[in-house]
Amino acid sequence: MTLKNNQTFRDALSAFPSGVTIVSTTDEKGRHWGFTASSFSSVSMNPPLVLVCIANTADSHAAFVKAQRYAINILSQEQKDIAMHFARKGVDKFGPHAFRYGTDDNPHPPMLPGSMASLVCVARDVHEAGDHTVLIGEIQDVELGEATPLVYYNRGFRNLELETADSLA
Ligand SMILES: Cc1cc2nc3c(=O)[nH]c(=O)nc-3n(C[C@H](O)[C@H](O)[C@H](O)COP(=O)(O)O)c2cc1C
């Protein structure tokens, strides 16, 4: 089968449900950067590696390519508004939201309370791939929360029904 057009590709991707994250970092001047991302994936267990893809056109692209550390905050159902806010360009992203920031004594990327989990990553690799850049990070620290995850499917946010269809155990 050949790819008829871009729309077919987009439609196929929209058939894949995913979680939603906010990827965040603080640059050497103390400025905070972040964007909403559903391209998050695990890569390796040993060492523990994950990836996220960032568009080359993102305003935060340069900051993430240079970042030595970033956090991947996996969003809960209660964080739809934050997901939308961090998908907007040219807004004050961090002002309206209560992130926990690093200090001189304890430097870390911005962490979002109320998330399902916040993964603190050390940057391991950066790959250019088409119009996106793949950021590969090694997990240094994990903070787990308790909530219900936010799901993105067919171009919209969905509520997850926590019903076990079939267990692998
Ligand atoms: C549900 C959802 C998922 C998204 N996933 C990604 C993604 O994986 N990578 C990406 O670069 N942009 C993604 N975006 C778009 C960015 O969040 C958006 O372009 C953002 O404005 C980029 O931030 P910046 O340009 O201020 O840096 C997503 C948006 C939404 C609503």
Side-chain angles (χ1 to χ4, degrees):
M1 193 199 125
T2 54
L3 192 60
K4 280 183 235 129
N5 55 43
N6 239 342
Q7 194 54 47
T8 320
F9 180 45
R10 285 172 189 273
D11 289 348
L13 293 184
S14 76
F16 185 66
S18 68
V20 185
T21 69
I22 287 177
V23 191
S24 54
T25 194
T26 303
D27 69 18
E28 68 283 356
K29 290 187 177 148
R31 290 175 302 195
H32 307 303
W33 299 91
F35 69 105
T36 301
S38 57
S39 57
F40 167 71
S41 176
S42 59
V43 174
S44 157
M45 289 302 287
N46 188 19
L49 300 177
V50 294
L51 71 75
V52 68
C53 304
I54 182 167
N56 296 340
T57 52
D59 295 339
S60 54
H61 180 267
F64 280 102
V65 166
K66 271 193 276 170
Q68 289 175 4
R69 278 197 180 73
Y70 43 84
I72 300 176
N73 301 279
I74 300 175
L75 300 189
S76 73
Q77 228 163 254
E78 285 69 45
Q79 293 174 317
K80 287 187 194 86
D81 290 350
I82 307 181
M84 288 310 296
H85 188 68
F86 272 76
R88 288 191 191 106
K89 282 185 174 289
V91 295
D92 172 13
K93 294 204 178 177
F94 289 85
H97 303 293
F99 279 77
R100 212 176 61 248
Y101 297 103
T103 58
D104 288 345
D105 293 344
N106 179 22
H108 61 75
M111 316 272 278
L112 182 59
S115 302
M116 301 297 300
S118 294
L119 315 177
V120 178
C121 302
V122 176
R124 283 289 172 246
D125 242 319
V126 173
H127 291 285
E128 283 179 30
D131 57 10
H132 278 61
T133 301
V134 186
L135 308 172
I136 296 183
E138 180 166 345
I139 297 178
Q140 194 184 40
D141 200 10
V142 170
E143 213 167 81
L144 284 176
E146 271 185 43
T148 307
L150 181 58
V151 173
Y152 192 68
Y153 166 64
N154 197 14
R155 301 178 176 93
F157 294 115
R158 313 283 161 181
N159 291 336
L160 186 67
E161 280 184 41
L162 290 174
E163 209 175 274
T164 307
D166 236 324
S167 168
L168 290 178

